[in-house]
Amino acid sequence: MCAATGRALVKAQTVIESFSLSPDGAALVYGLRRIRGGRYVSHLWRTGWNGARARRLTSGAVRDTAPAISPDGTQVAFARAPVGAEAAEAQIWIMPLEGGKPWQLTRLRHGASSPSWSPDGRRLAFLAAAGPDRFVVGPRVAKQAPVARRITRTDFRDDESGLLSRRTHLWTVAPRPGARPRRLTVGDFDVEQPAWSPDGRWIAFAADTGADWNLMPRTELFRIASGGGQVLPLASLPGDAARPAISPDGRLVAFIGTDV
């Protein structure tokens, strides 16, 4: 038994970061984070409700997170980012639920995350950074760092993602090799927590579009047609409205809110 030093405790940690339940409730896929070689490494594991031993689905020097099992229960979409000195942005990958070789779906310049299957399994919604860099000043030269950045907001970075130079928006893509992603939202705001309507015709999401979001953040709920179009309001409270969940008939939206 090793001594319970701070270093040993940190190296021994395991964290379940995210999970997805299959439509029939028989399988559960989760992302498990460990520390290997002084870096975080995350892999996908599969387990069930019958007491069977968990089986690892992915491996390698990667961060595999946000698994989403397809409606027919045959595939898993997830976000994968490489780990190492030349680590790149995360992209959306897909693999068979039974295990096998994953393949890369998106190749966006600024990465992609949070995949979510449409009810018919023909599309995936996901989040990805887009738009101009909010803080760069001076001329830009390809493949070179900017001359300078002028930080004018308090939300310019976070501990997990680092510099938040571009807004996060909603996209969709067909789950097939070579498919081109389509961006649905545009504007000076970040999209969070997308949720498909049961008929797949629209997507709900949370966002803070207020003029004073920088100092007094307040998320509201919106909807947009899954093929793109006008962003429409869904719910607004004195406090935050978040985590939309749409009823099976598409007539009601439940969400978490703060009435302050």
Side-chain angles (χ1 to χ4, degrees):
M1 181 179 296
C2 64
T5 63
R7 180 182 295 273
L9 290 174
V10 169
K11 292 178 66 176
Q13 70 172 275
T14 59
V15 177
I16 294 179
E17 297 182 300
S18 50
F19 67 90
S20 177
L21 183 66
S22 65
D24 62 5
L28 180 75
V29 174
Y30 60 92
L32 185 67
R33 188 187 76 195
R34 291 190 171 102
I35 293 180
R36 294 290 183 267
R39 295 186 175 95
Y40 285 132
V41 175
S42 303
H43 297 129
L44 299 186
W45 291 70
R46 175 181 173 173
T47 188
W49 302 110
N50 58 2
R53 187 172 183 178
R55 178 166 60 93
R56 190 170 72 177
L57 297 178
T58 63
S59 60
V62 292
R63 290 288 307 275
D64 290 341
T65 59
I69 301 176
S70 62
D72 64 4
T74 64
Q75 302 182 89
V76 182
F78 60 97
R80 165 171 284 187
V83 174
E86 298 182 0
E89 299 286 350
Q91 300 288 347
I92 305 301
W93 291 61
I94 296 178
M95 70 176 301
L97 179 61
E98 297 300 323
K101 186 177 181 180
W103 56 274
Q104 186 173 344
L105 175 62
T106 65
R107 299 180 184 274
L108 294 177
R109 181 178 180 183
H110 304 297
S113 64
S114 305
S116 175
W117 293 89
S118 65
D120 62 7
R122 295 182 179 179
R123 287 173 292 175
L124 279 163
F126 65 93
L127 302 179
D133 192 314
R134 296 189 292 158
F135 307 119
V136 166
V137 294
R140 294 301 305 270
V141 179
K143 298 182 179 181
Q144 291 187 16
V147 174
R149 295 183 184 273
R150 181 172 177 262
I151 306 300
T152 58
R153 315 294 298 189
T154 59
D155 62 342
F156 69 97
R157 69 176 297 120
D158 66 21
D159 292 339
E160 181 69 20
S161 304
L163 183 66
L164 302 176
S165 58
R166 288 178 172 83
R167 289 304 188 188
T168 299
H169 282 284
L170 180 63
W171 302 62
T172 60
V173 64
R176 62 174 183 268
R180 294 188 61 182
R182 178 175 184 176
R183 179 179 169 186
L184 301 187
T185 59
V186 178
D188 188 21
F189 58 88
D190 292 314
V191 171
E192 301 176 304
Q193 306 151 7
W196 287 88
S197 66
D199 60 8
R201 298 178 62 182
W202 54 278
I203 303 172
F205 61 89
D208 187 345
T209 62
D212 58 351
W213 51 259
N214 182 53
L215 299 177
M216 299 181 64
R218 183 174 68 93
T219 57
E220 301 172 282
L221 298 186
F222 300 89
R223 61 177 283 176
I224 189 171
S226 57
Q230 183 180 4
V231 173
L232 302 173
L234 264 183
S236 179
L237 295 174
D240 289 322
R243 302 287 177 187
I246 305 166
S247 64
D249 62 6
R251 299 175 63 183
L252 298 174
V253 178
F255 60 94
I256 295 174
T258 55
D259 190 9
V260 295

